[in-house]
Amino acid sequence: MEISDPLAPAFIPCLIILSLSLILAFVRPEQPQVRWCAAMLTAVLLIRYLVWRATDTLPPLQWDAMTIASWLFFGIEIMGSLAGLILLHVLSRTIDRGEEATNNPVEGHPGGPPLIDMLIPTYNEQAEILYRTIVGALSQDYPRFRVWVLDDGKREWLRAMCEELGAHYRIRGDNSHGKAGNMNATFWDLMKLPDPPDVIAVLDADFIATPQFLRRSAALLHDPKAALVQTPQHFFNPDPIQLNLGDPARIPDEQRFFFDVILASKDAHGTAFSCGTSSMVRADALAEIGGFPTESVTEDILLSIKLTGLGYHTVYLNEPVTAGLAPEGLQEYLTQRGRWCLGTMQIVRTPWGPLTPGPTPFKMRLHTLDTVLFWTMTPILRVICILVPLLYWWTGFVIVQADLAGLLENLGPYWLSCVIFLAWVSRGTNVPILADAMSLLVCRESLRASAIGLFGSRNQKFKVTAKGATRDRTVVQWSLAGLFLGLAGLTLGGILLRLITGPIGDTPPGVESMTLFWSLYNIVMLAVAALMCVEAPRFRKEERFVTDEAVEARIGDHRVTAHLDNLSLQGCRLSADDLPPLAVGEVVRISIADVGDVESEVRLVGEGYGQMAFRLTPPQRAALVRKIFSGAYRQSVSALRPSQFVAVLWRRAFG
């Protein structure tokens, strides 16, 4: 394939962007003026690219298949670009409310600390999961709160657990409206109590609150117009993407970009929304809108939207005050994303949707539209961007009439500016290949849920994400991996076919060069998506946390100062330079800070270390939950260098 167009001048705009980006190396992403300028520059470059597409790459309108396909693809690009422009507007600002929370302690609020009722809606979760959640909820450093476990599964053992731990237990007559219906049934009863709550906090059944959750979050309710406070979701286990790529210690979890960057930016615009768990809402404001919304399975987003229609707003405290259980498997992950997509589409069909003339403020509508376009247009565009090069290689069908030089000169600066800007505001956690592969992974689920949500029955059931599973072997999700590998193979096969047979007809070499560049990117993206479908085993039901703590261990007649290398609710790894000989089955007593003198059994022995299994008393078990989930052992990855990501992919692909 011969490239006849001179490429050197086409690189000039990209070089200018690279030169300008050097400024960002010396500026923090919280700097408002530079952040706004970088976002607007990227938006201008996107518009410049669209103008070039409209004026230089589209065939004259006529009724033939290639022309219709070209214009349709451009129309989809326009819609995808609209989502990009809205996102750039969102990211042009950010806010950190940590200092505001510190400066407004709840003791100084009018009337003192509000009475908070914490709701934990449950359905089919395992006892181990609920035990951690209830213990964490009851361990709040807050003067006035009650904990209510709402059991839609009607389990007697859960009633007994609540009585033992000191939490209130409630069931209802039916399971209508899923999670929202469960919370509403209790909410209205609580409002009839002689001492009704001032605030309702929500904690999912697999989320564990640190002792500071209520105190730090409620501090932001000093503003009477702040009706809802949301905090980020962090996870104490690796999600399927982190685990399947083989390095959870380096790869950020899939939601870090949203919670660390996007939601803080939405808050700066006054358009932050509830994400369900780890949030709290004023009880009177909740009653004013009729309780938790039931018109959508994502009642959390709709809750914030309804509140904005009454003049309230949602604020975001970007602090890790809770930690939850991420979906353990790819199918559970896709089920969760499908539910989020379905709920967003259901909102479109309500009076509070972004396209209806309801009471929702314009900016909230605009930023909700961004979410709608993310779930609808992004997967469509992703699929088409894979099919367009395939059509050329195998049929000669040219949908984009452009050459490599034109692409470099017009798309290149925007793409480069977008990558640099997103990497800057996210501290490297937004990686183009990784983000595109994740988007491709959920395409099928997104398209199905979008169609059901927009055109199907309004009465869609809430699908609970299964949690607490273990897998003792590698599982390949061939329904997805096979599709991705097949598309990558077809793309590579088409390239090889043209190498053998030569260009089709009078196709300009520049068009073929552009398609080759596009195809190579697609192959890499498809390969990464396929790697995500190879599910690594999870052997442990309890996550182990890396520690750096000195402990005293009693081994037979010896007392030694040892080191905890890791810690879980089931056991620990104990090491010391002068560790006495250990035997499997031997009993060792370990003095652990905040827990006490814990009896443990040696399960595995190595040179200088022993793997221990705890024999905990009930008080020690509760104390260990409080210790581990106090926030001191947070494992979230909040920064990623490109070189680290490349190294992770290389090790995963080639061992």
Side-chain angles (χ1 to χ4, degrees):
M1 300 177 188
E2 180 183 352
I3 301 176
S4 60
D5 300 288
L7 290 179
F11 281 103
I12 293 175
C14 291
L15 293 175
I16 293 173
I17 296 301
L18 283 172
S19 301
L20 290 173
S21 70
L22 295 177
I23 298 172
L24 303 183
F26 304 96
V27 181
R28 291 172 57 85
E30 294 80 14
Q31 212 288 332
Q33 289 81 13
V34 176
R35 188 184 182 106
W36 186 88
C37 289
M40 292 307 104
L41 172 62
T42 307
V44 167
L45 291 172
L46 173 53
I47 295 170
R48 173 179 176 268
Y49 161 73
L50 293 175
V51 170
W52 168 74
R53 281 280 284 122
T55 56
D56 285 12
T57 68
L58 293 174
L61 281 172
Q62 54 188 9
W63 293 106
D64 63 78
M66 192 173 295
T67 300
I68 294 171
S70 296
W71 280 89
L72 281 175
F73 179 54
F74 180 61
I76 293 170
E77 268 194 289
I78 291 287
M79 296 301 293
S81 298
L82 175 60
L85 289 170
I86 298 174
L87 179 61
L88 288 168
H89 175 255
V90 170
L91 295 178
S92 65
R93 300 174 62 183
T94 191
I95 190 171
D96 183 353
R97 295 189 183 271
E99 186 176 351
E100 180 184 348
T102 300
N103 293 338
N104 293 276
V106 291
E107 285 79 8
H109 291 196
L115 173 60
I116 301 178
D117 276 342
M118 191 183 304
L119 308 187
I120 304 174
T122 79
Y123 177 61
N124 62 354
E125 298 81 10
Q126 299 171 13
E128 295 85 356
I129 292 174
L130 290 169
Y131 177 85
R132 298 183 306 224
T133 300
I134 296 169
V135 169
L138 290 167
S139 303
Q140 294 300 294
D141 174 23
Y142 190 81
R144 302 179 65 214
F145 74 99
R146 300 176 295 213
V147 175
W148 302 83
V149 177
L150 320 181
D151 183 14
D152 254 5
K154 302 177 180 63
R155 294 156 290 183
E156 281 303 315
W157 61 261
L158 182 53
R159 181 193 297 272
M161 179 187 290
C162 291
E163 291 175 354
E164 176 188 350
L165 295 175
H168 299 280
Y169 174 85
R170 288 185 62 85
I171 58 174
R172 57 177 175 147
D174 58 45
N175 293 67
S176 60
H177 299 299
K179 176 183 174 183
N182 193 5
M183 293 189 293
N184 277 334
T186 294
F187 169 66
W188 293 116
D189 286 346
L190 294 177
M191 296 302 286
K192 299 173 186 175
L193 292 176
D195 190 14
D198 301 303
V199 175
I200 297 294
V202 177
L203 201 64
D204 277 358
D206 55 354
F207 266 76
I208 306 155
T210 70
Q212 292 298 309
F213 167 54
L214 293 184
R215 176 172 291 279
R216 294 293 292 173
S217 302
L220 294 182
L221 294 175
H222 72 93
D223 177 2
K225 285 298 181 181
L228 194 150
V229 182
Q230 178 64 53
T231 66
Q233 295 178 16
H234 288 267
F235 304 98
F236 55 83
N237 65 316
D239 69 22
I241 306 303
Q242 293 175 293
L243 192 68
N244 296 351
L245 288 180
D247 201 339
R250 294 182 184 272
I251 298 291
D253 68 78
E254 187 264 345
Q255 293 192 60
R256 278 290 44 83
F257 180 58
F258 173 77
F259 281 107
D260 287 358
V261 182
I262 292 179
L263 204 53
S265 291
K266 284 182 177 287
D267 186 19
H269 290 278
T271 59
F273 56 76
S274 171
C275 302
T277 186
S278 313
S279 65
M280 60 177 58
V281 60
R282 293 184 188 274
D284 55 355
L286 182 59
E288 197 173 347
I289 63 169
F292 292 97
T294 57
E295 299 91 338
S296 167
V297 295
T298 51
E299 80 293 329
D300 40 19
I301 300 177
L302 187 53
L303 171 60
S304 286
I305 295 174
K306 283 188 173 185
L307 289 171
T308 62
L310 298 178
Y312 296 110
H313 59 272
T314 297
V315 294
Y316 179 56
L317 179 65
N318 193 6
E319 294 181 1
V321 289
T322 66
L325 192 60
E328 286 103 336
L330 197 58
Q331 288 303 322
E332 293 89 338
Y333 169 88
L334 295 175
T335 296
Q336 186 183 68
R337 270 55 183 178
R339 184 177 72 245
W340 295 350
C341 175
L342 173 64
T344 303
M345 298 308 114
Q346 288 176 322
I347 292 172
V348 174
R349 299 170 66 178
T350 71
W352 301 273
L355 305 176
T356 53
T360 309
F362 171 75
K363 192 180 283 189
M364 192 69 178
R365 290 173 179 276
L366 183 67
H367 289 186
T368 304
L369 180 62
D370 169 51
T371 307
V372 173
L373 292 173
F374 170 80
W375 287 116
T376 53
M377 299 313 303
T378 300
I380 293 173
L381 191 58
R382 187 71 56 227
V383 171
I384 291 177
C385 283
I386 291 172
L387 296 179
V388 167
L390 273 175
L391 285 172
Y392 171 74
W393 296 124
W394 291 99
T395 69
F397 207 70
V398 180
I399 293 178
V400 180
Q401 302 279 352
D403 56 26
L404 185 57
L407 205 66
L408 286 171
E409 185 176 356
N410 295 280
L411 177 60
Y414 159 66
W415 186 86
L416 194 60
S417 179
C418 187
V419 168
I420 293 170
F421 175 69
L422 293 179
W424 179 58
V425 298
S426 71
R427 290 178 169 82
T429 56
N430 185 274
V431 182
I433 290 284
L434 184 60
D436 289 345
M438 287 180 179
S439 174
L440 189 63
L441 196 65
V442 300
C443 270
R444 186 169 63 185
E445 206 68 31
S446 297
L447 293 173
R448 181 189 298 122
S450 294
I452 294 172
L454 290 174
F455 308 110
S457 168
R458 294 175 184 266
N459 187 27
Q460 298 294 326
K461 292 185 177 181
F462 186 97
K463 292 185 178 180
V464 177
T465 305
K467 301 286 182 70
T470 56
R471 294 170 174 80
D472 58 2
R473 59 191 177 87
T474 299
V475 175
V476 181
Q477 298 292 342
W478 282 112
S479 63
L480 286 171
L483 177 62
F484 299 150
L485 293 174
L487 289 170
L490 282 172
T491 304
L492 183 59
I495 295 171
L496 295 175
L497 177 66
R498 292 303 150 214
L499 283 173
I500 296 170
T501 63
I504 298 174
D506 56 354
T507 303
V511 170
E512 191 155 284
S513 302
M514 180 273 295
T515 310
L516 175 62
F517 177 81
W518 188 347
S519 299
L520 293 176
Y521 182 87
N522 283 349
I523 290 172
V524 174
M525 178 179 62
L526 287 162
V528 173
L531 283 176
M532 293 177 180
C533 298
V534 182
E535 298 200 68
R538 294 178 188 259
F539 297 106
R540 295 182 177 130
K541 295 197 71 172
E542 293 289 351
E543 197 69 21
R544 286 189 179 262
F545 298 87
V546 175
T547 68
D548 185 17
E549 299 179 35
V551 295
E552 184 179 88
R554 193 170 70 205
I555 306 170
D557 297 329
H558 300 275
R559 287 183 178 270
V560 298
T561 299
H563 187 268
L564 284 185
D565 298 325
N566 59 42
L567 180 66
S568 79
L569 290 176
Q570 293 183 324
C572 69
R573 174 179 156 131
L574 193 70
S575 66
D577 293 335
D578 56 346
L579 194 70
L582 295 172
V584 173
E586 183 178 0
V587 175
V588 175
R589 302 193 71 86
I590 307 171
S591 182
I592 302 176
D594 303 320
V595 179
D597 199 20
V598 178
E599 185 177 288
S600 59
E601 178 184 334
V602 179
R603 290 291 178 86
L604 182 68
V605 175
E607 186 174 349
Y609 76 90
Q611 199 71 47
M612 308 293 172
F614 292 145
R615 298 174 179 174
L616 299 168
T617 65
Q620 287 177 336
R621 185 186 180 200
L624 190 56
V625 168
R626 290 191 288 268
K627 176 183 177 67
I628 289 178
F629 298 103
S630 64
Y633 299 91
R634 186 167 67 93
Q635 301 184 130
S636 294
V637 178
S638 57
L640 177 66
R641 294 195 303 271
S643 58
Q644 290 178 321
F645 178 60
V646 172
V648 167
L649 290 183
W650 181 268
R651 285 195 301 271
R652 182 59 171 150
F654 304 107

Coordinates of all heavy atoms in Angstrom, one line a residue, residues 2-52:
E2 N 0.7 2.1 -1.0 CA 1.5 3.3 -1.1 C 0.8 4.5 -0.6 O -0.3 4.7 -1.0 CB 2.0 3.4 -2.6 CG 2.9 4.6 -2.8 CD 3.2 4.8 -4.3 OE1 2.9 3.9 -5.0 OE2 3.8 5.8 -4.6
I3 N 1.5 5.3 0.2 CA 0.9 6.5 0.7 C 1.4 7.7 -0.2 O 2.6 8.0 -0.1 CB 1.2 6.8 2.1 CG1 0.7 5.6 3.0 CG2 0.6 8.1 2.6 CD1 1.1 5.7 4.4
S4 N 0.6 8.2 -1.0 CA 1.0 9.3 -2.0 C 0.9 10.7 -1.4 O 1.6 11.6 -1.8 CB 0.2 9.2 -3.3 OG -1.2 9.4 -3.0
D5 N 0.0 10.9 -0.4 CA -0.2 12.2 0.2 C 0.9 12.5 1.1 O 1.4 11.7 1.9 CB -1.5 12.2 1.0 CG -2.7 11.9 0.1 OD1 -3.0 12.8 -0.7 OD2 -3.3 10.8 0.2
P6 N 1.4 13.8 1.0 CA 2.5 14.2 2.0 C 1.9 14.3 3.4 O 0.9 15.0 3.6 CB 2.9 15.5 1.4 CG 1.7 16.0 0.7 CD 1.0 14.8 0.1
L7 N 2.5 13.5 4.3 CA 2.0 13.5 5.7 C 2.6 14.5 6.6 O 2.0 14.9 7.6 CB 2.2 12.1 6.3 CG 1.4 10.9 5.7 CD1 1.8 9.6 6.4 CD2 -0.1 11.2 5.8
A8 N 3.8 15.0 6.2 CA 4.5 15.9 7.2 C 3.7 17.1 7.6 O 3.5 17.4 8.8 CB 5.8 16.3 6.6
P9 N 3.0 17.9 6.7 CA 2.2 19.0 7.1 C 1.0 18.6 8.0 O 0.6 19.4 8.8 CB 1.8 19.6 5.8 CG 2.7 19.1 4.8 CD 3.1 17.8 5.2
A10 N 0.5 17.4 7.8 CA -0.6 17.0 8.5 C -0.3 16.8 10.0 O -1.2 16.8 10.9 CB -1.2 15.6 8.0
F11 N 0.9 16.6 10.4 CA 1.3 16.5 11.8 C 1.4 17.8 12.5 O 1.5 17.8 13.8 CB 2.6 15.7 11.9 CG 2.5 14.2 11.7 CD1 2.9 13.6 10.5 CD2 2.1 13.4 12.7 CE1 2.8 12.3 10.3 CE2 2.0 12.1 12.5 CZ 2.3 11.5 11.3
I12 N 1.4 18.9 11.8 CA 1.7 20.2 12.5 C 0.6 20.5 13.5 O 1.0 20.9 14.7 CB 1.7 21.3 11.4 CG1 3.0 21.1 10.6 CG2 1.7 22.7 12.1 CD1 3.1 22.1 9.4
P13 N -0.7 20.3 13.3 CA -1.7 20.6 14.4 C -1.5 19.7 15.6 O -1.6 20.2 16.7 CB -3.0 20.3 13.7 CG -2.8 20.5 12.2 CD -1.4 20.1 12.0
C14 N -1.1 18.5 15.4 CA -0.9 17.6 16.5 C 0.3 18.0 17.3 O 0.3 18.0 18.5 CB -0.7 16.2 16.0 SG -2.1 15.4 15.3
L15 N 1.4 18.5 16.6 CA 2.6 19.0 17.3 C 2.2 20.2 18.1 O 2.8 20.4 19.2 CB 3.7 19.3 16.3 CG 4.3 18.0 15.6 CD1 5.3 18.5 14.5 CD2 4.9 17.1 16.6
I16 N 1.4 21.1 17.6 CA 0.9 22.3 18.3 C 0.2 21.9 19.6 O 0.5 22.4 20.7 CB 0.0 23.2 17.5 CG1 0.9 23.8 16.3 CG2 -0.6 24.3 18.3 CD1 0.0 24.5 15.3
I17 N -0.7 20.9 19.5 CA -1.4 20.4 20.7 C -0.4 19.8 21.7 O -0.6 20.1 22.9 CB -2.5 19.4 20.3 CG1 -3.5 20.0 19.4 CG2 -3.1 18.8 21.5 CD1 -4.3 21.2 20.1
L18 N 0.5 19.0 21.2 CA 1.5 18.4 22.2 C 2.3 19.5 22.9 O 2.6 19.4 24.1 CB 2.4 17.5 21.4 CG 1.9 16.1 21.0 CD1 2.9 15.4 20.1 CD2 1.6 15.3 22.3
S19 N 2.7 20.6 22.1 CA 3.4 21.7 22.7 C 2.6 22.4 23.8 O 3.1 22.7 24.9 CB 3.8 22.7 21.7 OG 4.6 22.1 20.7
L20 N 1.3 22.6 23.5 CA 0.5 23.3 24.5 C 0.2 22.4 25.7 O 0.1 22.9 26.8 CB -0.9 23.6 23.8 CG -0.9 24.7 22.8 CD1 -2.3 24.9 22.1 CD2 -0.5 26.1 23.4
S21 N 0.2 21.1 25.5 CA -0.1 20.2 26.6 C 1.0 20.2 27.7 O 0.8 19.8 28.8 CB -0.3 18.8 26.1 OG 0.9 18.2 25.6
L22 N 2.2 20.7 27.3 CA 3.3 20.8 28.3 C 2.9 21.7 29.5 O 3.4 21.5 30.6 CB 4.6 21.3 27.6 CG 5.2 20.3 26.5 CD1 6.4 21.0 25.9 CD2 5.5 19.0 27.1
I23 N 2.0 22.6 29.2 CA 1.6 23.5 30.3 C 0.9 22.7 31.4 O 1.1 23.0 32.6 CB 0.6 24.5 29.8 CG1 1.3 25.4 28.7 CG2 0.0 25.4 30.9 CD1 0.3 26.4 28.0
L24 N 0.2 21.6 31.0 CA -0.6 20.9 32.0 C 0.3 20.1 33.0 O -0.1 19.8 34.1 CB -1.5 19.9 31.3 CG -2.5 20.5 30.3 CD1 -3.4 19.4 29.8 CD2 -3.3 21.6 31.0
A25 N 1.6 19.9 32.6 CA 2.5 19.2 33.5 C 2.8 20.0 34.7 O 3.3 19.5 35.7 CB 3.8 18.8 32.7
F26 N 2.6 21.3 34.7 CA 2.9 22.2 35.8 C 1.7 22.8 36.5 O 1.8 23.6 37.3 CB 3.8 23.4 35.3 CG 5.0 22.9 34.6 CD1 5.1 22.8 33.2 CD2 6.2 22.6 35.3 CE1 6.2 22.4 32.5 CE2 7.3 22.2 34.6 CZ 7.3 22.1 33.2
V27 N 0.5 22.3 36.1 CA -0.7 22.8 36.7 C -1.6 21.7 37.2 O -1.8 20.7 36.5 CB -1.5 23.6 35.6 CG1 -2.8 24.2 36.2 CG2 -0.7 24.7 35.0
R28 N -2.2 21.9 38.4 CA -3.1 20.9 38.9 C -4.4 20.9 38.2 O -4.9 22.0 37.8 CB -3.3 21.1 40.4 CG -2.1 20.8 41.2 CD -2.3 21.2 42.7 NE -3.5 20.6 43.3 CZ -3.5 19.4 43.8 NH1 -2.3 18.7 43.8 NH2 -4.6 18.9 44.3
P29 N -5.1 19.8 38.0 CA -6.4 19.8 37.3 C -7.5 20.6 38.0 O -8.5 20.9 37.4 CB -6.8 18.4 37.1 CG -5.9 17.6 38.1 CD -4.7 18.4 38.3
E30 N -7.3 21.0 39.3 CA -8.3 21.8 40.0 C -8.2 23.2 39.7 O -9.0 24.0 40.1 CB -8.1 21.6 41.5 CG -8.4 20.2 42.0 CD -7.3 19.2 41.8 OE1 -6.1 19.6 41.5 OE2 -7.5 18.0 41.9
Q31 N -7.1 23.7 38.9 CA -6.9 25.1 38.6 C -8.0 25.5 37.6 O -8.1 25.0 36.5 CB -5.6 25.3 38.0 CG -4.9 26.6 38.3 CD -5.6 27.8 37.5 OE1 -6.2 27.5 36.4 NE2 -5.6 29.0 38.0
P32 N -9.0 26.3 38.0 CA -10.2 26.5 37.2 C -10.0 27.1 35.8 O -10.6 26.7 34.8 CB -11.1 27.5 38.1 CG -10.1 28.1 39.0 CD -9.0 27.1 39.2
Q33 N -9.1 28.2 35.7 CA -9.0 28.8 34.4 C -8.3 27.9 33.4 O -8.8 27.8 32.2 CB -8.2 30.1 34.5 CG -8.9 31.2 35.3 CD -8.8 31.1 36.8 OE1 -8.0 30.3 37.3 NE2 -9.6 31.9 37.5
V34 N -7.3 27.2 33.8 CA -6.6 26.3 32.8 C -7.5 25.2 32.5 O -7.6 24.7 31.3 CB -5.3 25.8 33.5 CG1 -4.6 24.8 32.5 CG2 -4.3 27.0 33.7
R35 N -8.2 24.6 33.4 CA -9.2 23.5 33.2 C -10.2 23.9 32.2 O -10.5 23.2 31.2 CB -9.8 23.1 34.5 CG -10.7 21.8 34.4 CD -11.3 21.5 35.7 NE -12.1 20.3 35.7 CZ -11.8 19.1 36.2 NH1 -10.6 19.1 36.9 NH2 -12.5 18.1 36.1
W36 N -10.8 25.1 32.3 CA -11.8 25.6 31.4 C -11.3 25.8 30.0 O -11.9 25.4 29.0 CB -12.4 26.9 31.9 CG -13.6 27.4 31.1 CD1 -14.9 27.1 31.3 CD2 -13.5 28.3 30.0 NE1 -15.6 27.7 30.3 CE2 -14.8 28.5 29.5 CE3 -12.4 29.0 29.3 CZ2 -15.1 29.3 28.4 CZ3 -12.7 29.8 28.2 CH2 -14.1 29.9 27.8
C37 N -10.1 26.4 29.9 CA -9.4 26.6 28.6 C -9.1 25.3 27.9 O -9.4 25.2 26.7 CB -8.2 27.4 28.8 SG -8.4 29.2 29.2
A38 N -8.6 24.3 28.7 CA -8.3 23.0 28.1 C -9.6 22.3 27.6 O -9.6 21.7 26.5 CB -7.6 22.1 29.1
A39 N -10.7 22.4 28.3 CA -11.9 21.8 27.9 C -12.5 22.5 26.7 O -12.9 21.8 25.7 CB -13.0 21.9 29.0
M40 N -12.4 23.8 26.6 CA -13.0 24.6 25.5 C -12.1 24.4 24.2 O -12.6 24.3 23.1 CB -13.1 26.0 25.8 CG -14.1 26.4 26.9 SD -15.8 25.7 26.5 CE -15.9 24.3 27.6
L41 N -10.8 24.3 24.4 CA -9.9 24.0 23.3 C -10.3 22.6 22.6 O -10.4 22.5 21.4 CB -8.5 24.0 23.7 CG -7.5 23.5 22.6 CD1 -7.5 24.5 21.4 CD2 -6.0 23.5 23.2
T42 N -10.5 21.6 23.5 CA -10.9 20.3 23.0 C -12.2 20.4 22.3 O -12.4 19.7 21.2 CB -10.9 19.3 24.2 OG1 -9.7 19.4 24.9 CG2 -11.2 17.9 23.7
A43 N -13.2 21.1 22.8 CA -14.5 21.3 22.2 C -14.4 22.0 20.8 O -15.0 21.5 19.8 CB -15.4 22.1 23.1
V44 N -13.5 23.0 20.7 CA -13.3 23.7 19.5 C -12.7 22.7 18.4 O -13.1 22.7 17.2 CB -12.5 24.9 19.7 CG1 -12.0 25.5 18.3 CG2 -13.2 26.0 20.4
L45 N -11.8 21.9 18.9 CA -11.1 21.0 17.9 C -12.1 19.9 17.5 O -12.1 19.5 16.3 CB -9.9 20.3 18.6 CG -8.7 21.3 18.8 CD1 -7.7 20.6 19.7 CD2 -8.1 21.7 17.5
L46 N -13.1 19.5 18.3 CA -14.1 18.6 17.9 C -15.0 19.2 16.9 O -15.4 18.6 15.9 CB -14.9 18.1 19.1 CG -16.2 17.3 18.9 CD1 -15.8 16.0 18.0 CD2 -16.8 16.9 20.2
I47 N -15.4 20.4 17.1 CA -16.3 21.1 16.1 C -15.5 21.3 14.8 O -16.1 21.1 13.7 CB -16.7 22.5 16.7 CG1 -17.6 22.3 17.9 CG2 -17.4 23.3 15.6 CD1 -18.0 23.5 18.6
R48 N -14.2 21.6 14.9 CA -13.4 21.7 13.7 C -13.4 20.4 12.9 O -13.5 20.4 11.6 CB -12.0 22.1 14.1 CG -10.9 22.2 12.9 CD -9.6 22.6 13.5 NE -8.5 22.5 12.5 CZ -7.8 21.5 12.2 NH1 -7.9 20.4 13.0 NH2 -6.8 21.5 11.3
Y49 N -13.3 19.3 13.6 CA -13.3 18.0 12.9 C -14.6 17.8 12.2 O -14.7 17.3 11.1 CB -13.0 16.9 14.0 CG -13.4 15.5 13.5 CD1 -12.7 14.9 12.5 CD2 -14.5 14.9 14.0 CE1 -13.1 13.6 12.1 CE2 -15.0 13.7 13.6 CZ -14.2 13.0 12.6 OH -14.6 11.8 12.2
L50 N -15.7 18.1 12.9 CA -17.0 17.9 12.3 C -17.3 18.7 11.1 O -17.9 18.3 10.1 CB -18.1 18.2 13.4 CG -18.2 17.2 14.6 CD1 -19.2 17.7 15.6 CD2 -18.5 15.8 14.1
V51 N -16.7 20.0 11.1 CA -16.8 20.8 9.9 C -16.1 20.2 8.8 O -16.6 20.2 7.6 CB -16.3 22.3 10.3 CG1 -16.2 23.1 9.0 CG2 -17.2 22.9 11.3
W52 N -14.9 19.7 9.0 CA -14.1 19.0 8.0 C -14.9 17.8 7.4 O -14.9 17.6 6.2 CB -12.8 18.6 8.6 CG -12.0 17.7 7.7 CD1 -11.3 18.0 6.5 CD2 -11.8 16.3 7.9 NE1 -10.8 16.9 6.0 CE2 -11.0 15.8 6.8 CE3 -12.2 15.4 8.8 CZ2 -10.6 14.5 6.7 CZ3 -11.8 14.0 8.7 CH2 -11.0 13.6 7.6

